[in-house]
Amino acid sequence: MTTVVYVSGTFDLFHRNHLKMIEYGAGLGDTLIVGVSTDELVCSYKKPPSIPFEERIAIIEALKYPDVVIPQRSLEHTERVKDLNIDIFVVGDDWKGKYDYLRDLGVKVFYFPYGAGVSSTKLKKQIYNQYKELVSSADTHSIPDVIKK
């Protein structure tokens, strides 16, 4: 019997922890489906992704682990689980508890522990803070005298 694994994510500013979660999902079963959240879905619960959906899904499709990569348009996965015969659902531990209802459908739910490490949100914050620091130092330097001819 084939075990179908579904890994769910936004995969914005793709980083090592995204890869580790997808690799982990691949090791749990025979068929790996990765759902990439659309821009519209992401905007329904947080700020828009930095990388557009078309680029994020292309990045995931280029990986060796997924068998199938599909758009994810909802945070409610009951129908998707039924339609795709999903046996195992994997998502980052920043969603811990959110998908426990899938267990009632016989799905094993794994919350991948990467929230305390690298995340797109942390990367965005770091980039923003570094940019602010650069602008601040650029704005406070002395302006040289301009010599007019």
Side-chain angles (χ1 to χ4, degrees):
M1 187 166 141
T2 301
T3 301
V4 178
V5 179
Y6 185 85
V7 174
S8 171
T10 300
F11 306 109
D12 194 19
L13 299 180
F14 193 81
H15 53 76
R16 184 175 178 205
N17 281 334
H18 289 141
L19 183 59
K20 286 165 51 178
M21 184 171 72
I22 291 169
E23 185 179 35
Y24 174 77
L28 293 174
D30 305 301
T31 302
L32 178 63
I33 302 170
V34 178
V36 179
S37 297
T38 63
D39 293 342
E40 294 79 15
L41 175 60
V42 176
C43 289
S44 73
Y45 62 90
K46 66 179 183 178
K47 292 180 181 178
S50 297
I51 308 299
F53 171 74
E54 293 77 14
E55 291 185 38
R56 291 183 288 113
I57 200 165
I59 290 166
I60 303 305
E61 287 172 338
L63 299 174
K64 67 180 181 179
Y65 299 105
D67 295 296
V68 179
V69 180
I70 59 176
Q72 182 170 274
R73 293 184 171 88
S74 173
L75 295 176
E76 210 298 310
H77 293 288
T78 301
E79 291 307 312
R80 175 144 289 172
V81 162
K82 291 175 183 176
D83 292 345
L84 298 176
N85 297 311
I86 295 169
D87 301 296
I88 299 172
F89 185 91
V90 180
V91 68
D93 66 355
D94 49 335
W95 292 91
K96 193 161 185 106
K98 169 77 175 164
Y99 296 105
D100 288 352
Y101 69 91
L102 295 175
R103 291 179 174 143
D104 295 338
L105 301 172
V107 176
K108 292 181 182 175
V109 178
F110 293 93
Y111 296 100
F112 187 76
Y114 78 86
V118 175
S119 73
S120 297
T121 301
K122 288 180 183 177
L123 287 172
K124 287 178 192 179
K125 188 173 187 173
Q126 182 177 353
I127 291 166
Y128 176 78
N129 288 337
Q130 286 176 334
Y131 178 77
K132 272 181 37 179
E133 194 174 302
L134 284 170
V135 169
S136 175
S137 65
D139 286 348
T140 57
H141 74 285
S142 60
I143 300 173
D145 291 331
V146 176
I147 301 173
K148 293 185 179 187
K149 294 184 182 184

